[in-house]
Amino acid sequence: MAAAKIAVLRKPTSKARQSSRATGRDSLEKLGERVRALRHQRNMTQEELAHALSLSVAYVSLIERGGRNSPYLTVVAIARALGVPTSKLCES
């Protein structure tokens, strides 16, 4: 009788987790760069954008620096406040 092979699911190695985190950080930084660039194109201050979003200036600053993983609805609100489609913020 042939032995059945069982697939073993393993946790990602620490190297794989680090790579995944780095990719996530890169994505957040790119999002932040796009937000900042679009805000500057519209001659908006962080304070004006924060007011339009009902967020704090500190939170907007964190987003622009890639230090905050914002919920999807926040990204949608940012896009609306900047007058662009959400896809413009998320494109690679």
Side-chain angles (χ1 to χ4, degrees):
M1 191 186 284
K5 290 186 178 183
I6 299 173
V8 177
L9 297 177
R10 296 185 180 136
K11 290 183 180 180
T13 63
S14 62
K15 193 173 188 176
R17 277 181 279 185
Q18 288 173 350
S19 175
S20 175
R21 285 186 198 134
T23 302
R25 252 190 320 272
D26 291 346
S27 295
L28 293 176
E29 288 173 2
K30 287 177 185 175
L31 172 68
E33 290 168 4
R34 287 186 202 104
V35 170
R36 179 178 289 124
L38 289 165
R39 179 177 60 78
H40 284 165
Q41 287 174 8
R42 283 147 184 76
N43 295 315
M44 289 180 83
T45 64
Q46 284 184 340
E47 187 174 342
E48 290 168 332
L49 181 57
H51 179 74
L53 299 169
S54 298
L55 297 173
S56 71
V57 175
Y59 192 81
V60 170
S61 176
L62 276 171
I63 292 169
E64 288 188 357
R65 288 183 281 131
R68 183 62 58 193
N69 186 0
S70 299
Y72 175 73
L73 292 177
T74 300
V75 175
V76 170
I78 292 169
R80 285 186 183 150
L82 294 172
V84 297
T86 305
S87 61
K88 181 83 171 175
L89 296 177
C90 300
E91 64 191 14
S92 30

